[in-house]
Amino acid sequence: MGISKAISDSKISVIVPLYNGELYIEQTLEYILSSNYNNLEVIVINDGSKDEGYDIARRLAKKDYRIKIYSKENGGIISARNYGIERATGEYLCFCDQDDFVDKNMYIKMIQKIEADKSDFCMCSTGRMIEGQVVPFENFDNQKYQGDEINQKLLYPLLMGEYNLYNSEKERRYPHIWKCLIKKDFFIRHNLRFKRFIDFEDDLLMLIELLLNAETVSTVSDRLYVWRVNFQSETYNSKYFEDFISRYNSFLNYVTGLLERDLVSDNFTQAYKKVVMCRMYIDLIDNLYNGRKKGKHISIKQYLDNNIYIYGFQDNIKIYPYLKKG
């Protein structure tokens, strides 16, 4: 695949947080390093690993100068990604989880699309591997979005998710940062960093901020990233939070503040608040049962009375009819 010198001179920093990833980290790094785009630095952040994953990464780094390894005390994926961003020297940033894999054409196709469209970042179609089988996950067309198109075609479907509101797209949009290639100067100019209020929305927050700040966004139809679904991972193992409601409110206040700052319509913002509250009701019950598993003897009725009905329950659930089937 041909590539201009101007593009090939641009370095891509691939940030890979590592925590107890001995099972797949070698395969993941080899996929990245076998890319058709050679000008890479692979920044492995050893986040206090306790297994052989760190030693495996060190062995591979001795064979390929593009791997750079940094170690820090365990702080979770948010702190590891931010730690990697501070040390990245490339003109572009992207992220890869320790047990996923990328297509050899991922970086070259995405950087060419960004350069052709003069966009701030690019997203690719993705797949997921479940029990050894790769199936489509999120699909994009080859497109360039600008101005209000970014809200209509990308941001609104992302925020509304499973609700059939403000979504002109047939495809659902998912909050995963590993499908993105981002210009670092855009990232730095808007002072973007990963944040977390609850336990699952760090990628969502980053994508919201990317979309709200971008002037042009590119998408490519090629399925270039495959998420290996691991049912033992943090994604599928909820934690119990004593301060669950305050965390959820902090998240909602932060996002609605972003929407209001960027003059997103008040009608959309109010509908989004209702969607978030409906999600909270479900997550609240999940959080309660996680607490009970840990031996916390809580009256279910009292818990729900105290934490749901004071939040305008009857008004918020009016959004329920828009929930998509399935």
Side-chain angles (χ1 to χ4, degrees):
M1 181 179 295
I3 182 170
S4 70
K5 185 177 187 303
I7 293 177
S8 64
D9 284 344
S10 297
K11 184 192 296 181
I12 296 175
S13 299
V14 185
I15 297 170
V16 185
L18 174 63
Y19 178 74
N20 293 350
E22 63 181 7
L23 191 58
Y24 297 115
I25 187 61
E26 181 167 6
Q27 187 179 64
T28 295
L29 292 177
E30 286 178 346
Y31 270 108
I32 295 170
L33 295 168
S34 65
S35 169
N36 284 337
Y37 192 85
N38 186 63
N39 195 0
L40 304 173
E41 66 171 1
V42 185
I43 301 176
V44 178
I45 306 301
N46 174 39
D47 191 38
S49 285
K50 298 176 182 178
D51 66 2
E52 299 299 316
Y54 172 59
D55 292 331
I56 293 170
R58 287 182 62 197
R59 171 169 55 79
L60 293 174
K62 291 178 181 178
K63 299 178 181 179
D64 197 312
Y65 71 93
R66 294 176 295 174
I67 299 178
K68 299 177 181 179
I69 303 176
Y70 299 91
S71 292
K72 59 182 285 297
E73 291 184 3
N74 178 253
I77 194 168
I78 300 300
S79 67
R81 284 174 171 171
N82 288 335
Y83 195 87
I85 291 165
E86 297 296 335
R87 287 151 183 80
T89 63
E91 287 76 32
Y92 290 86
L93 295 173
C94 64
F95 303 88
C96 184
D97 285 356
Q98 65 185 13
D99 47 4
D100 296 343
F101 50 96
V102 302
D103 187 276
K104 65 181 180 180
N105 294 314
M106 177 173 180
Y107 306 121
I108 193 169
K109 287 192 173 184
M110 295 181 77
I111 198 171
Q112 285 179 326
K113 181 67 170 165
I114 288 177
E115 292 296 326
D117 293 346
K118 306 300 180 188
S119 56
D120 297 302
F121 73 99
C122 180
M123 296 185 286
C124 67
S125 295
T126 62
R128 57 180 172 177
M129 176 179 281
I130 303 175
E131 297 180 349
Q133 298 295 317
V134 176
V135 295
F137 182 56
E138 184 173 13
N139 298 309
F140 290 100
D141 295 326
N142 290 313
Q143 290 289 348
K144 177 174 76 171
Y145 300 98
Q146 293 180 301
D148 194 52
E149 283 183 324
I150 296 174
N151 286 350
Q152 298 291 337
K153 302 293 187 179
L154 299 172
L155 178 64
Y156 293 172
L158 171 70
L159 290 175
M160 288 303 176
E162 69 277 24
Y163 287 83
N164 242 333
L165 282 161
Y166 295 90
N167 188 351
S168 60
E169 295 291 282
K170 294 180 181 179
E171 293 288 345
R172 183 171 170 184
R173 297 292 161 233
Y174 292 94
H176 297 107
I177 198 62
W178 27 248
K179 64 189 173 189
C180 299
L181 180 67
I182 310 155
K183 283 184 176 176
K184 188 183 178 185
D185 65 348
F186 166 76
F187 204 91
I188 299 303
R189 189 165 68 250
H190 294 287
N191 195 31
L192 300 176
R193 291 296 183 274
F194 287 91
K195 307 171 186 70
R196 172 174 288 187
F197 292 102
I198 313 173
D199 192 39
F200 49 76
E201 81 301 329
D202 39 288
D203 280 21
L204 172 60
L205 286 171
M206 177 57 73
L207 272 175
I208 292 170
E209 296 201 66
L210 287 172
L211 291 167
L212 285 173
N213 284 297
E215 294 182 7
T216 305
V217 179
S218 298
T219 58
V220 296
S221 61
D222 302 76
R223 187 168 297 114
L224 301 174
Y225 190 101
V226 176
W227 165 32
R228 190 192 303 270
V229 177
N230 175 8
F231 293 106
Q232 302 305 313
S233 72
E234 187 175 332
T235 304
Y236 289 97
N237 288 277
S238 300
K239 299 175 183 177
Y240 177 77
F241 293 109
E242 295 283 359
D243 54 347
F244 183 84
I245 300 297
S246 64
R247 285 171 178 260
Y248 233 102
N249 281 330
S250 295
F251 164 74
L252 180 56
N253 290 337
Y254 185 80
V255 175
T256 53
L258 292 175
L259 298 177
E260 289 165 358
R261 180 202 71 185
D262 283 78
L263 304 179
V264 172
S265 77
D266 186 61
N267 285 341
F268 175 85
T269 302
Q270 294 307 313
Y272 176 65
K273 286 181 180 180
K274 289 181 170 59
V275 164
V276 172
M277 294 308 294
C278 284
R279 289 174 183 154
M280 188 201 74
Y281 300 143
I282 302 300
D283 291 338
L284 186 67
I285 295 168
D286 184 52
N287 187 60
L288 168 64
Y289 277 91
N290 278 324
R292 290 178 67 80
K293 288 175 184 175
K294 294 177 180 292
K296 298 179 182 295
H297 299 291
I298 305 168
S299 162
I300 296 177
K301 183 178 185 303
Q302 179 184 349
Y303 189 88
L304 298 182
D305 284 346
N306 291 343
N307 293 293
I308 285 187
Y309 297 111
I310 60 173
Y311 285 93
F313 180 79
Q314 296 298 334
D315 185 45
N316 289 323
I317 62 171
K318 291 176 183 176
I319 212 87
Y320 171 75
Y322 294 96
L323 189 64
K324 297 175 184 176
K325 292 183 178 180

